[in-house]
Amino acid sequence: MMKNPIRRTLLAAALALPALCAPLNALAAPLVLGFSQVGAESEWRTANTASIKAAAKEAGITLKFADAQQKQENQVKAIRSYIAQKVDVIAFSPVVESGWDTVLKEAKAAGIPVILTDRAVKVSDPSLYASFIGSDFVEEGRKAGRWLLERAARTPAAALNIVELQGTVGSAPALDRKKGFEEVIKANPRLQIIRSQSGEFTRAKGKEVMEAFLKARDRKIDVLYAHNDDMAIGAIQAIEEAGLKPGVDIAIISIDGVRGAFEAMKAGKLNVTVECNPLLGPQLMQLARDVVAGKPVEKRITVNEGVYPAEVAAKELPNRKY
Ligand code: GZL
């Protein structure tokens, strides 16, 4: 037994300290994250939003969330509002690549770190954001092109006319998925993109543009390349209404890997979907904590993604998380 009363008191205090601090830790304000989301334009976006909200709740992070309805001015307004509210960190999925320097400089001047999720930006100064977590869209386009090259190699030496439904004009996924796809298919001069137009990543616009492609009967359409599954699903409706068999008369390649795509593949109406993982929430929350804590973080974080041809759709569908 320790005889020295002073040492005994100090030891007792040291042992009691964690218990005393616990309530103080619990009182420490939770981290506040301001998030500006592109909109609610697709199944992919719905899954992305759900992942972010669930992960914030799980992490005990206070999430301020704004849906920009695919308008850049609404994202700028939301980011300015988060600056005014002095949030700890801002994250957003930029609807288009350019036009962010001014508002990101305002965030930097306010000492609020910014994280990019899902889509990249083109800025003069890369220090305007702490990190970018999202898919490699150029590689997604290449994967789509490689699938078509392999399919074309199995058919006779006929020309294959491709129509393309692009994503939102000026957005990173639209620019990069086009770039990757064209980079790969140029290996086979029989593969020609004869029409290309934005379907704005939505089912409705995808259907509308595909109807216009089908009406211009000057050249047969052999392949549809859609930058996301929602536009492909809209196009499938247009192709059926034109009396053609989607997935048979017109081969369809799309990107995202949402549940609707697997159901279309099971029905024989879509040929392949290239996965683009929307479940970024947990990684974003950890990144937000690390950035606020001043820990070193990677400037570019990518996610692993697969390619799902129709042949595996039925087996894979039960495993899909979005
Ligand atoms: C890709 C994402 C795209 C999806 C679309 O990461 O930005 O936006 O492919 C969504 O479905 O609208």
Side-chain angles (χ1 to χ4, degrees), residues 24-293:
L24 291 177
N25 288 342
L27 290 175
L31 188 144
V32 180
L33 163 63
F35 189 90
S36 168
Q37 180 60 293
V38 165
E41 72 282 1
S42 63
E43 274 188 66
W44 188 98
R45 189 64 57 197
T46 304
N48 180 245
T49 292
S51 172
I52 289 163
K53 288 183 174 175
K57 192 170 178 197
E58 176 67 24
I61 286 175
T62 300
L63 177 69
K64 293 178 180 291
F65 184 92
D67 172 335
Q69 295 171 330
Q70 294 217 71
K71 291 184 176 65
Q72 181 172 28
E73 63 266 26
N74 290 345
Q75 290 201 286
V76 171
K77 273 187 207 136
I79 292 169
R80 284 191 168 128
S81 157
Y82 296 144
I83 293 169
Q85 295 175 64
K86 296 183 172 41
V87 299
D88 297 304
V89 56
I90 292 168
F92 73 117
S93 170
V95 62
V96 291
E97 276 192 338
S98 55
W100 302 102
D101 287 76
T102 302
V103 74
L104 292 183
K105 283 175 184 165
E106 291 167 18
K108 186 173 182 179
I112 301 175
V114 175
I115 296 169
L116 302 180
T117 75
D118 168 27
R119 299 181 182 180
V121 295
K122 289 239 186 297
V123 286
S124 54
D125 172 4
S127 76
L128 290 174
Y129 63 89
S131 181
F132 163 39
I133 175 170
S135 305
D136 178 344
F137 301 133
V138 177
E139 184 55 23
E140 291 171 350
R142 292 193 192 104
K143 287 175 182 176
R146 289 186 201 115
W147 182 89
L148 185 55
L149 273 191
E150 285 164 26
R151 180 184 173 95
R154 295 197 299 270
T155 55
L160 288 178
N161 292 332
I162 304 162
V163 293
E164 180 182 27
L165 287 171
Q166 295 183 35
T168 304
V169 175
S171 68
L175 295 164
D176 289 353
R177 286 170 181 170
K178 181 172 189 55
K179 180 179 169 189
F181 183 74
E182 290 177 345
E183 176 192 300
V184 167
I185 67 164
K186 69 183 179 207
N188 183 341
R190 292 189 291 120
L191 304 181
Q192 288 295 323
I193 297 177
I194 59 169
R195 283 192 178 79
S196 181
Q197 191 178 329
S198 176
E200 297 169 7
F201 282 133
T202 67
R203 291 189 182 199
K205 193 68 180 173
K207 180 180 180 188
E208 183 188 311
V209 175
M210 190 67 202
E211 284 166 350
F213 287 161
L214 289 161
K215 280 201 180 84
R217 296 176 176 278
D218 53 336
R219 279 180 288 182
K220 181 173 173 295
I221 298 171
D222 301 295
V223 180
L224 164 63
Y225 170 47
H227 290 186
N228 84 327
D229 294 333
D230 285 71
M231 294 189 292
I233 291 165
I236 284 168
Q237 291 166 9
I239 292 167
E240 289 179 318
E241 287 170 11
L244 297 170
K245 290 192 184 69
V248 180
D249 298 327
I250 297 177
I252 305 178
I253 308 163
S254 75
I255 299 178
D256 276 352
V258 297
R259 183 171 297 281
F262 281 81
E263 286 158 358
M265 287 193 286
K266 258 185 82 175
K269 298 180 180 179
L270 177 71
N271 300 86
V272 59
T273 185
V274 174
E275 186 178 36
C276 176
N277 187 344
L279 308 180
L280 304 175
Q283 284 175 283
L284 171 59
M285 296 310 145
Q286 187 53 56
L287 200 47
R289 282 204 184 285
D290 292 347
V291 165
V292 170

